[in-house]
């Protein structure tokens, strides 16, 4: 399994600002994913990020709101732009590497927008 | 579209007893994977067990086992000899290859009573 870290672990932000969340993996992985978990809800996939290509966004999520970078095989960032209280959620990074069909999750970033 | 349903928002079990968490799914695919993930209060998602649809044998991991009924599209998780550390939110998830997207149920919050 992969060891995944996220920064920050939590943050409180004002509406209209942006926050960039970092995801670091201890091994090279082909695919990285960003999920959102709204309070008391299940996980929803925001986008899939492959190194060297544009992220693929799920329905309901757009690049202008959630720009993603994937500069190498161990790192990715998700930015939540122009935040509103509705963006208050836990954002989780997930990876799938090599021949493994399993996904592993980071500890998450708890975002509160006031 | 594929969906995953967990009809038990909350469950409770006595320590050392056995509990079964339910999950049903809807798909027209014949090849897919099913997963149970555990999310403790610390929120690090942990893969508990996985099942390949083409395998008739139910997966088992120590105290965790599944009852996979493909025709009924049912995938329940049995936890034997429950321990206090089993208290968590449990998510059922589905993935159909070659897709990489995990589709999650709404989760079941399991409490373990001493």
């Amino acid at each position: 399994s992969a060891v995944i870290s996220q920064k920050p672990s939590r943050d409180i932000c004002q509406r209209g600002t942006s926050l960039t969340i970092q995801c670091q993996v201890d091994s090279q992985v082909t695919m990285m994913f960003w999920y959102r978990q709204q309070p008391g809800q299940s996980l929803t996939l925001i986008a899939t990020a492959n190194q060297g290509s544009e992220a693929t966004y799920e329905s309901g999520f757009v690049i202008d709101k959630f720009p993603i970078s994937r500069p190498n095989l161990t790192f990715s960032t998700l930015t939540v732009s122009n935040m509103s209280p509705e963006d208050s959620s836990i954002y989780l990074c997930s990876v799938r590497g090599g021949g493994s069909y399993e996904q592993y999750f980071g500890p998450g970033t708890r975002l509160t927008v006031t | 579209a594929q969906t995953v349903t967990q009809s038990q928002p909350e469950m409770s079990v006595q320590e050392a007893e056995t509990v079964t968490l339910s999950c049903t799914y809807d798909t027209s695919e014949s090849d897919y994977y099913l997963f149970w993930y555990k999310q403790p209060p610390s929120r690090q998602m942990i893969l508990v067990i996985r099942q390949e649809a083409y395998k008739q044998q139910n997966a088992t991991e120590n105290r965790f086992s599944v009852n996979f009924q493909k025709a009924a599209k049912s995938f329940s998780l049995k936890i034997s000899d429950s321990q206090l550390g089993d208290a968590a939110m449990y998510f059922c998830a589905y993935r159909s290859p070659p897709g990489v997207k995990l589709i999650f149920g709404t989760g079941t919050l399991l409490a373990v009573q001493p």
Side-chain angles (χ1 to χ4, degrees):
Chain A
S1 64
V3 177
I4 307 167
S5 60
Q6 286 185 232
K7 291 181 181 179
S9 60
R10 61 177 60 221
D11 207 342
I12 301 173
C13 302
Q14 293 192 346
R15 68 171 67 210
T17 63
S18 298
L19 176 71
T20 295
I21 303 168
Q22 300 179 3
C23 177
Q24 180 76 51
V25 190
D26 69 340
S27 58
Q28 293 184 341
V29 293
T30 53
M31 307 187 80
M32 298 181 77
F33 309 88
W34 287 98
Y35 285 84
R36 182 175 73 181
Q37 186 177 20
Q38 294 178 301
Q41 303 296 315
S42 186
L43 284 78
T44 301
L45 180 64
I46 297 172
T48 302
N50 293 330
Q51 193 266 338
S53 63
E54 293 287 329
T56 303
Y57 289 82
E58 295 296 309
S59 176
F61 298 96
V62 295
I63 187 171
D64 289 346
K65 176 67 176 177
F66 298 101
I68 289 171
S69 76
R70 181 80 199 274
N72 58 53
L73 291 174
T74 63
F75 186 78
S76 177
T77 66
L78 169 75
T79 299
V80 185
S81 303
N82 187 24
M83 288 184 285
S84 67
E86 292 69 36
D87 295 319
S88 296
S89 295
I90 296 172
Y91 292 85
L92 296 107
C93 171
S94 174
V95 304
R96 177 178 177 230
S100 170
Y101 50 79
E102 298 176 2
Q103 284 189 27
Y104 301 95
F105 288 82
T109 296
R110 182 181 295 275
L111 170 62
T112 302
V113 183
T114 60
Chain B
Q2 296 91 352
T3 59
V4 177
T5 301
Q6 294 179 249
S7 58
Q8 305 155 316
E10 298 182 13
M11 292 282 285
S12 182
V13 63
Q14 292 292 128
E15 201 174 1
E17 297 294 311
T18 295
V19 65
T20 298
L21 309 184
S22 300
C23 173
T24 58
Y25 57 95
D26 187 23
T27 183
S28 59
E29 304 292 334
S30 59
D31 184 23
Y32 50 87
Y33 301 104
L34 295 164
F35 306 88
W36 279 99
Y37 280 89
K38 171 185 177 181
Q39 188 179 41
S42 66
R43 78 173 177 268
Q44 179 93 47
M45 291 274 285
I46 303 167
L47 177 64
V48 175
I49 198 166
R50 69 175 183 272
Q51 175 80 42
E52 294 90 338
Y54 65 85
K55 290 186 177 180
Q56 293 186 338
Q57 186 173 6
N58 289 323
T60 299
E61 290 287 343
N62 301 314
R63 298 182 296 107
F64 298 86
S65 62
V66 299
N67 183 6
F68 174 48
Q69 301 289 328
K70 190 172 184 178
K73 296 180 182 176
S74 171
F75 182 61
S76 60
L77 174 69
K78 186 172 80 172
I79 306 174
S80 304
D81 186 25
S82 296
Q83 301 175 358
L84 295 177
D86 294 333
M89 181 72 84
Y90 287 81
F91 291 99
C92 179
Y94 164 100
R95 184 175 73 83
S96 180
V100 298
K101 178 180 179 179
L102 279 175
I103 299 171
F104 285 87
T106 51
T108 297
L109 182 61
L110 177 66
V112 180
Q113 308 298 330

